[in-house]
């Protein structure tokens, strides 16, 4: 009997429609929306059910302390800033971080990109006002355009289809990079881009890369056939995004022919954001019925009772690897807000993977007007996360980071510090500020140190 039949509670990919759905755009044209969704329903799946199951197994291992999860990528992918080079550079930094984390911790890194589908953004405000003009907020490239004019900000359902196609093209490249030689461990030096290599973090990375090469030479000298070891030559990079636009997610949800279970084939892992985790809301209803591994963001107002309700609803079978809880409290709040949640989940005996998103609780507006984050606050939240987990005897199972492979100046600080006056130099994000490649590497070294302890 499949899980679908075992838990047959009348769920279908459309039952969310009877619930209040937060953060959905007001599409101006129902016919155009239906045309776009019909188009998506006819498209091939982007990922396969079997892949989602493999990721679930890897997350289950991470839950036992046998792996560490790195979720990383843009806050919002963009239709305009779309290029093979940008995808390659993002993968490079993820591979570099993953090597640093593995080398430091001795456990595998499960690599999950906020990529190939991370286009939709929840907004705190419906509208944005500039110089006395008020327009609908930008909700991500799946919905409207970033440009501040009336036509650009009008939701356009054709964008849903464009998001699908860009996701497919991105995923194709990600798979090629992951399996086609780029991610081969013998290229560990080549991942270090020039603007990174010349920095403090880059030199530190070079030292690790040299050690790894030495270890590979040693193994070869021992008579191990390195060519035959697939793990040295290719990697898995899984995809994830916030499952925000439920029409889009529903249209890409398919029944697996092997198990009969439903999978949301838009990505391997889907997460529920801080603004849409209402246990009785449409997002929780939708994701409860698909068998992909799931994430939920938990902000500082989350109560223990809410977390338990979410665990019960999203993982009634208590399946290991099914649920990742992302603590995103803010550096000043986490010491007080996270321990009661950890405790409650432990008492209830729910198997979850605890991970930390140290980005979204630490955003503020700089005096220059730019939205930014301090590297020090991000690290402070991570340090607290590790300490709180340790005190509760829970494995700190992963981090969730907004980053880019480019040399941007969006977050303050890091070993080669970005200063307030630098923000305007290379501020390119369409949504939240991202760590640049150097800051990302810096963070990986610090997290590896925390893991080692
Ligand atoms: C995000 O991950 O970009 C995001 C909006 O996060 P949160 O839901 O935690 O605010
Ligand atoms: Co963000």
């Amino acid at each position: 009997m499949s899980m679908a039949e075992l838990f047959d509670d009348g769920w279908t990919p459309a039952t969310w429609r009877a619930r209040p759905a937060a953060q959905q755009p007001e599409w101006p044209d129902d016919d155009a929306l239906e045309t776009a969704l019909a188009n998506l329903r006819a498209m091939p799946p982007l990922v396969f059910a079997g892949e989602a199951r493999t990721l679930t197994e890897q997350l289950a291992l991470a839950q036992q302390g046998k792996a560490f999860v790195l979720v990383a990528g843009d806050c919002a992918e963009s239709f305009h800033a779309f290029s093979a080079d940008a995808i390659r550079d993002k993968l490079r930094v993820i591979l570099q971080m993953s090597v640093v984390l593995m080398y430091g911790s001795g456990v595998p890194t499960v690599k999950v990109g906020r990529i190939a589908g991370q286009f939709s953004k929840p907004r705190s405000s419906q509208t944005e006002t500039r110089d006395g003009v008020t327009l609908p907020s930008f909700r991500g490239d799946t919905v409207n355009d970033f440009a501040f004019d009336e036509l650009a900000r009008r939701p356009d359902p054709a964008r849903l289809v464009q998001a699908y196609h860009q996701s497919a093209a991105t995923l194709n490249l990600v798979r090629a990079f992951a399996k086609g030689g780029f991610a081969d461990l013998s290229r560990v030096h080549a991942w270090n881009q020039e603007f990174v290599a010349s920095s403090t973090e880059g030199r530190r990375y070079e030292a690790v890369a040299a050690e790894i090469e030495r270890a590979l030479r040693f193994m070869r000298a021992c008579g191990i056939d390195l060519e035959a070891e697939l793990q040295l030559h290719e990697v898995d990079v899984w995809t994830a995004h916030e499952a925000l636009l439920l029409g889009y997610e529903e249209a890409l949800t398919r029944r697996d022919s092997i198990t009969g279970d439903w999978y949301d084939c838009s990505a391997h892992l889907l997460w529920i954001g801080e603004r849409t985790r209402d246990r009785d809301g449409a997002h929780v209803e939708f994701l409860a019925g698909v068998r992909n591994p799931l994430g939920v963001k938990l902000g500082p107002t989350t109560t223990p009772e809410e977390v338990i309700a979410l665990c019960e609803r999203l993982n009634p079978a208590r399946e290991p690897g099914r649920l990742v809880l992302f603590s995103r409290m803010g550096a000043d709040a986490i010491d007080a807000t996270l321990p009661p949640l950890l405790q409650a989940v432990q008492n209830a005996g729910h198997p979850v993977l605890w991970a930390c998103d140290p980005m979204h609780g630490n955003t503020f507006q700089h005096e220059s007007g730019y939205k930014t984050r301090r590297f020090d606050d991000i690290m402070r939240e991570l340090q607290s996360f590790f300490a709180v987990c340790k005190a509760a005897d829970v494995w700190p199972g992963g981090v969730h980071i907004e980053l880019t492979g480019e040399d941007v100046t969006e977050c303050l600080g890091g070993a080669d510090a970005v200063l307030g006056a630098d923000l305007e130099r290379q501020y390119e994000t369409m949504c939240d500020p991202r760590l640049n490649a150097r800051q990302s590497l810096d963070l990986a070294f610090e997290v590896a140190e925390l893991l080692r302890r």
Side-chain angles (χ1 to χ4, degrees), residues 74-76 114 118 121 297 357 359-360 373 402 431-433:
D74 287 303
C75 180
R114 285 176 67 114
Q118 175 52 26
K121 298 313 299 176
K297 297 284 203 85
D357 163 359
M359 313 298 288
H360 288 90
R373 293 160 173 157
E402 287 181 344
C431 199
D432 292 336

PDB file of all heavy atoms in Angstrom, residues 74-76 114 118 121 297 357 359-360 373 402 431-433, ligand 2:
ATOM      1  N   ASP A  74      20.620  32.319  -4.317  1.00  0.00           N
ATOM      2  CA  ASP A  74      20.040  33.663  -4.300  1.00  0.00           C
ATOM      3  C   ASP A  74      18.811  33.749  -3.423  1.00  0.00           C
ATOM      4  O   ASP A  74      18.086  32.767  -3.276  1.00  0.00           O
ATOM      5  CB  ASP A  74      19.566  34.029  -5.717  1.00  0.00           C
ATOM      6  CG  ASP A  74      20.721  34.316  -6.636  1.00  0.00           C
ATOM      7  OD1 ASP A  74      21.517  35.203  -6.304  1.00  0.00           O
ATOM      8  OD2 ASP A  74      20.820  33.645  -7.679  1.00  0.00           O
ATOM      9  N   CYS A  75      18.550  34.951  -2.933  1.00  0.00           N
ATOM     10  CA  CYS A  75      17.254  35.190  -2.297  1.00  0.00           C
ATOM     11  C   CYS A  75      16.183  35.029  -3.357  1.00  0.00           C
ATOM     12  O   CYS A  75      15.204  34.328  -3.162  1.00  0.00           O
ATOM     13  CB  CYS A  75      17.203  36.591  -1.694  1.00  0.00           C
ATOM     14  SG  CYS A  75      15.624  36.908  -0.897  1.00  0.00           S
ATOM     15  N   ALA A  76      16.381  35.684  -4.498  1.00  0.00           N
ATOM     16  CA  ALA A  76      15.452  35.556  -5.620  1.00  0.00           C
ATOM     17  C   ALA A  76      16.266  35.395  -6.897  1.00  0.00           C
ATOM     18  O   ALA A  76      17.116  36.226  -7.198  1.00  0.00           O
ATOM     19  CB  ALA A  76      14.566  36.788  -5.724  1.00  0.00           C
ATOM     20  N   ARG A 114      19.386  26.894  -3.569  1.00  0.00           N
ATOM     21  CA  ARG A 114      18.186  27.730  -3.762  1.00  0.00           C
ATOM     22  C   ARG A 114      18.277  28.135  -5.224  1.00  0.00           C
ATOM     23  O   ARG A 114      18.717  29.228  -5.557  1.00  0.00           O
ATOM     24  CB  ARG A 114      18.266  29.004  -2.910  1.00  0.00           C
ATOM     25  CG  ARG A 114      18.029  28.885  -1.425  1.00  0.00           C
ATOM     26  CD  ARG A 114      18.249  30.231  -0.726  1.00  0.00           C
ATOM     27  NE  ARG A 114      17.272  31.237  -1.070  1.00  0.00           N
ATOM     28  CZ  ARG A 114      16.382  31.764  -0.243  1.00  0.00           C
ATOM     29  NH1 ARG A 114      16.321  31.378   1.017  1.00  0.00           N
ATOM     30  NH2 ARG A 114      15.549  32.688  -0.658  1.00  0.00           N
ATOM     31  N   GLN A 118      13.696  29.326  -7.588  1.00  0.00           N
ATOM     32  CA  GLN A 118      13.512  30.259  -6.464  1.00  0.00           C
ATOM     33  C   GLN A 118      13.188  31.664  -7.004  1.00  0.00           C
ATOM     34  O   GLN A 118      14.002  32.570  -6.973  1.00  0.00           O
ATOM     35  CB  GLN A 118      14.783  30.243  -5.586  1.00  0.00           C
ATOM     36  CG  GLN A 118      14.828  31.239  -4.434  1.00  0.00           C
ATOM     37  CD  GLN A 118      13.614  31.210  -3.530  1.00  0.00           C
ATOM     38  OE1 GLN A 118      12.928  30.201  -3.413  1.00  0.00           O
ATOM     39  NE2 GLN A 118      13.316  32.331  -2.896  1.00  0.00           N
ATOM     40  N   LYS A 121       8.557  35.677  -4.221  1.00  0.00           N
ATOM     41  CA  LYS A 121       8.891  36.275  -2.932  1.00  0.00           C
ATOM     42  C   LYS A 121       7.648  36.688  -2.151  1.00  0.00           C
ATOM     43  O   LYS A 121       6.757  37.349  -2.684  1.00  0.00           O
ATOM     44  CB  LYS A 121       9.763  37.529  -3.150  1.00  0.00           C
ATOM     45  CG  LYS A 121      11.095  37.281  -3.808  1.00  0.00           C
ATOM     46  CD  LYS A 121      11.886  36.123  -3.230  1.00  0.00           C
ATOM     47  CE  LYS A 121      12.249  36.289  -1.765  1.00  0.00           C
ATOM     48  NZ  LYS A 121      12.935  35.053  -1.259  1.00  0.00           N
ATOM     49  N   LYS A 297      10.337  27.424   7.778  1.00  0.00           N
ATOM     50  CA  LYS A 297      11.074  28.499   8.444  1.00  0.00           C
ATOM     51  C   LYS A 297      10.361  28.849   9.751  1.00  0.00           C
ATOM     52  O   LYS A 297       9.132  29.001   9.765  1.00  0.00           O
ATOM     53  CB  LYS A 297      11.109  29.740   7.549  1.00  0.00           C
ATOM     54  CG  LYS A 297      11.821  29.569   6.233  1.00  0.00           C
ATOM     55  CD  LYS A 297      13.337  29.558   6.406  1.00  0.00           C
ATOM     56  CE  LYS A 297      13.984  29.956   5.089  1.00  0.00           C
ATOM     57  NZ  LYS A 297      14.081  31.399   4.916  1.00  0.00           N
ATOM     58  N   ASP A 357      18.959  29.228   9.479  1.00  0.00           N
ATOM     59  CA  ASP A 357      19.010  30.285   8.473  1.00  0.00           C
ATOM     60  C   ASP A 357      19.410  31.557   9.231  1.00  0.00           C
ATOM     61  O   ASP A 357      18.574  32.169   9.885  1.00  0.00           O
ATOM     62  CB  ASP A 357      17.639  30.425   7.812  1.00  0.00           C
ATOM     63  CG  ASP A 357      17.467  31.738   7.048  1.00  0.00           C
ATOM     64  OD1 ASP A 357      18.396  32.569   7.036  1.00  0.00           O
ATOM     65  OD2 ASP A 357      16.385  31.942   6.463  1.00  0.00           O
ATOM     66  N   MET A 359      20.284  34.347   8.099  1.00  0.00           N
ATOM     67  CA  MET A 359      20.170  35.532   7.245  1.00  0.00           C
ATOM     68  C   MET A 359      18.934  36.364   7.577  1.00  0.00           C
ATOM     69  O   MET A 359      19.018  37.577   7.768  1.00  0.00           O
ATOM     70  CB  MET A 359      20.079  35.121   5.759  1.00  0.00           C
ATOM     71  CG  MET A 359      21.078  34.090   5.282  1.00  0.00           C
ATOM     72  SD  MET A 359      22.802  34.584   5.387  1.00  0.00           S
ATOM     73  CE  MET A 359      22.964  35.794   4.090  1.00  0.00           C
ATOM     74  N   HIS A 360      17.757  35.703   7.603  1.00  0.00           N
ATOM     75  CA  HIS A 360      16.506  36.464   7.547  1.00  0.00           C
ATOM     76  C   HIS A 360      16.105  37.148   8.840  1.00  0.00           C
ATOM     77  O   HIS A 360      15.221  38.002   8.819  1.00  0.00           O
ATOM     78  CB  HIS A 360      15.389  35.577   6.991  1.00  0.00           C
ATOM     79  CG  HIS A 360      15.570  35.338   5.523  1.00  0.00           C
ATOM     80  ND1 HIS A 360      16.305  34.269   5.036  1.00  0.00           N
ATOM     81  CD2 HIS A 360      15.198  36.057   4.439  1.00  0.00           C
ATOM     82  CE1 HIS A 360      16.336  34.339   3.716  1.00  0.00           C
ATOM     83  NE2 HIS A 360      15.685  35.408   3.333  1.00  0.00           N
ATOM     84  N   ARG A 373      22.964  43.153   5.754  1.00  0.00           N
ATOM     85  CA  ARG A 373      23.154  42.268   6.914  1.00  0.00           C
ATOM     86  C   ARG A 373      24.614  42.346   7.300  1.00  0.00           C
ATOM     87  O   ARG A 373      25.472  42.511   6.424  1.00  0.00           O
ATOM     88  CB  ARG A 373      22.821  40.814   6.541  1.00  0.00           C
ATOM     89  CG  ARG A 373      21.371  40.567   6.242  1.00  0.00           C
ATOM     90  CD  ARG A 373      21.156  39.316   5.442  1.00  0.00           C
ATOM     91  NE  ARG A 373      19.734  39.010   5.310  1.00  0.00           N
ATOM     92  CZ  ARG A 373      19.200  38.277   4.350  1.00  0.00           C
ATOM     93  NH1 ARG A 373      19.983  37.747   3.416  1.00  0.00           N
ATOM     94  NH2 ARG A 373      17.915  38.040   4.311  1.00  0.00           N
ATOM     95  N   GLU A 402      21.957  32.831   1.984  1.00  0.00           N
ATOM     96  CA  GLU A 402      21.751  33.542   0.723  1.00  0.00           C
ATOM     97  C   GLU A 402      23.103  34.050   0.231  1.00  0.00           C
ATOM     98  O   GLU A 402      23.771  34.839   0.913  1.00  0.00           O
ATOM     99  CB  GLU A 402      20.742  34.684   0.897  1.00  0.00           C
ATOM    100  CG  GLU A 402      19.340  34.104   1.035  1.00  0.00           C
ATOM    101  CD  GLU A 402      18.233  35.117   1.201  1.00  0.00           C
ATOM    102  OE1 GLU A 402      18.511  36.287   1.523  1.00  0.00           O
ATOM    103  OE2 GLU A 402      17.070  34.719   1.037  1.00  0.00           O
ATOM    104  N   CYS A 431      16.303  41.246  -4.155  1.00  0.00           N
ATOM    105  CA  CYS A 431      15.521  41.073  -2.937  1.00  0.00           C
ATOM    106  C   CYS A 431      16.462  41.241  -1.740  1.00  0.00           C
ATOM    107  O   CYS A 431      16.924  42.340  -1.490  1.00  0.00           O
ATOM    108  CB  CYS A 431      14.808  39.737  -2.988  1.00  0.00           C
ATOM    109  SG  CYS A 431      13.438  39.652  -1.856  1.00  0.00           S
ATOM    110  N   ASP A 432      16.775  40.147  -1.036  1.00  0.00           N
ATOM    111  CA  ASP A 432      17.615  40.294   0.158  1.00  0.00           C
ATOM    112  C   ASP A 432      19.102  40.319  -0.192  1.00  0.00           C
ATOM    113  O   ASP A 432      19.526  39.743  -1.191  1.00  0.00           O
ATOM    114  CB  ASP A 432      17.355  39.125   1.116  1.00  0.00           C
ATOM    115  CG  ASP A 432      15.970  39.176   1.715  1.00  0.00           C
ATOM    116  OD1 ASP A 432      15.389  40.272   1.784  1.00  0.00           O
ATOM    117  OD2 ASP A 432      15.467  38.109   2.110  1.00  0.00           O
ATOM    118  N   PRO A 433      19.914  40.974   0.685  1.00  0.00           N
ATOM    119  CA  PRO A 433      21.359  41.034   0.472  1.00  0.00           C
ATOM    120  C   PRO A 433      22.025  39.667   0.643  1.00  0.00           C
ATOM    121  O   PRO A 433      21.728  38.937   1.586  1.00  0.00           O
ATOM    122  CB  PRO A 433      21.829  42.008   1.551  1.00  0.00           C
ATOM    123  CG  PRO A 433      20.778  41.955   2.606  1.00  0.00           C
ATOM    124  CD  PRO A 433      19.488  41.686   1.900  1.00  0.00           C
TER     125      PRO A 433
HETATM  126 CO1  LIG B   2      15.598  36.169   1.351  1.00  0.00          CO
END
